[in-house]
Amino acid sequence: MPQPLPSLASLRSFEASARLESFSKAAQELNLTQAAISQQIRLLEDRLGGALFRREARRVKLTELGRLYLGLTASALHDMESAFETVRALARPHALVIKTTPTFASYWLLPRLNAFQRAWPAASLTVTAVEASSGQFDGVGDVAITTGQDQWHGFITTKLFDIDLVAVASPAVARRTDLGPFLAGNTDAIIHTMKRLDDWALWCMGAGVPNFHLERGTILFNSALSYAAAEQDMGIVIAEEAMIADQLAAGSLVEVHSAHVPSGRGYYLLERDHRTRKPIVDAFIHWLQQEMRATTLLLSERRGLGLSSSQG
């Protein structure tokens, strides 16, 4: 039969002592006495059946058992603390918990969120970034914003916009990119996004140019990293046009080709089915849809002015 789990106080005392290499410093951080920390560690060691620390003159050092236990428990403790803070945030007046992808959070939502906070100064906002493919949109939250093809069950889904793919780079990279060799597939200045490995193939098919395979260029984990790398002159990336609307307007990214290729995906707003909307959620969704329309209008105006390509 499994033994009862150690107390959270013991785990927190252990983690702080291991990180600070000191019972006294751990006591200061946790607002406890050094004797209380020592007692929690002794209780934990008794439960485990072995020493977690070597006591030295002015500090403590982890034993092999201690290092093993820290590696197995540190992330779990962090997850418990994160879960507590998330649920506590939900209980606050005017609380709004938004889950979205790292790219949407970094490139679209955060640059605009000040406007919502000015309109709702009492709002208490929590933004959590999780990968679209991770399945974590099922957890705690008032709304989620993610990309896909309307495949979520148990949610009310609202499409915010369709995703068009464009080939973009920094102005410096765009200036030195010879369009002829690029369209023939002859360049190594390519950025691939691990989370969207099909995007180059989709864009190339739509643009009528040869595909750029993975053996050429740089591979980065997600779109947020890829766009940042492109802004730092690392190469050409296939971007979701609406996500980089601000960068296109500011000129930190420019299009190296005029093709705008539908991806077959969209960005969706997800709400839990059968959940009563709070007034703050109503306000956020109304604001979000207004901002989405403004982004769409900005991109349409750019195309109408012939600003969609740096190469003419």
Side-chain angles (χ1 to χ4, degrees):
M1 182 175 180
Q3 292 290 317
L5 291 173
S7 69
L8 185 58
S10 293
L11 291 174
R12 294 186 70 193
S13 297
F14 168 65
E15 187 278 333
S17 299
R19 174 165 40 83
L20 299 170
E21 296 187 339
S22 168
F23 289 169
S24 60
K25 290 180 181 178
Q28 291 173 5
E29 180 176 290
L30 299 177
N31 198 26
L32 297 171
T33 65
Q34 183 174 339
I37 293 290
S38 297
Q39 182 183 19
Q40 292 293 344
I41 299 300
R42 281 197 301 271
L43 289 171
L44 192 56
E45 289 176 327
D46 290 343
R47 294 284 303 280
L48 291 169
L52 296 171
F53 293 96
R54 295 194 310 274
R55 277 72 168 173
E56 300 179 357
R58 294 180 178 274
R59 64 178 183 175
V60 293
K61 297 289 286 184
L62 285 170
T63 62
E64 287 297 324
L65 182 65
R67 277 193 288 272
L68 173 63
Y69 193 56
L70 181 65
L72 293 172
T73 59
S75 62
L77 183 61
H78 177 269
D79 289 344
M80 285 191 291
E81 291 173 343
S82 177
F84 174 78
E85 290 300 327
T86 300
V87 175
R88 193 167 72 94
L90 278 171
R92 293 198 295 265
H94 302 295
L96 176 63
V97 179
I98 306 160
K99 282 195 170 185
T100 188
T101 64
T103 302
F104 189 90
S106 300
Y107 275 81
W108 195 93
L109 182 61
L110 293 184
R112 294 166 173 78
L113 207 52
N114 272 341
F116 179 75
Q117 289 182 307
R118 286 194 297 270
W120 281 76
S124 176
L125 302 179
T126 300
V127 179
T128 303
V130 295
E131 294 295 338
S133 60
S134 68
Q136 295 184 50
F137 287 102
D138 291 341
V140 175
D142 292 302
V143 296
I145 304 163
T146 187
T147 179
Q149 296 175 314
D150 198 6
Q151 71 269 34
W152 301 276
H153 301 292
F155 290 93
I156 300 170
T157 62
T158 304
K159 181 182 278 190
L160 298 172
F161 54 79
D162 291 309
I163 296 170
D164 283 350
L165 302 178
V166 291
V168 298
S170 68
V173 170
R175 281 193 297 270
R176 66 175 182 251
T177 296
D178 190 318
L179 191 58
F182 169 68
L183 295 181
N186 298 323
T187 182
D188 291 322
I190 295 296
I191 299 171
H192 299 276
T193 303
M194 191 182 301
K195 291 290 182 178
R196 294 178 17 234
L197 287 178
D198 293 337
D199 279 5
W200 267 109
L202 283 172
W203 184 85
C204 288
M205 183 181 299
V209 301
N211 188 18
F212 293 92
H213 298 286
L214 288 177
E215 62 267 17
R216 309 192 71 172
T218 303
I219 302 175
L220 296 172
F221 180 69
N222 60 24
S223 299
L225 290 176
S226 294
Y227 301 163
E231 290 184 87
Q232 296 300 317
D233 303 334
M234 283 186 64
I236 303 167
V237 68
I238 298 301
E240 297 173 337
E241 185 185 23
M243 289 303 95
I244 57 163
D246 294 343
Q247 285 68 34
L248 291 173
S252 60
L253 290 175
V254 297
E255 295 175 44
V256 299
H257 191 277
S258 60
H260 294 72
V261 178
S263 69
R265 304 188 304 270
Y267 269 88
Y268 289 83
L269 175 74
L270 279 57
E271 300 177 80
R272 269 293 183 190
D273 203 0
H274 308 303
R275 177 182 288 180
T276 303
R277 268 189 188 178
K278 297 184 291 188
I280 190 68
V281 175
D282 271 327
F284 176 75
I285 291 174
H286 178 70
W287 170 84
L288 179 70
Q289 291 172 332
Q290 285 184 316
E291 291 293 327
M292 288 290 178
R293 286 193 288 271
T295 298
T296 301
L297 180 61
L298 175 64
L299 294 172
S300 297
E301 288 175 347
R302 280 183 53 80
R303 295 182 190 182
L305 292 172
L307 301 174
S308 62
S309 173
S310 68
Q311 301 290 334

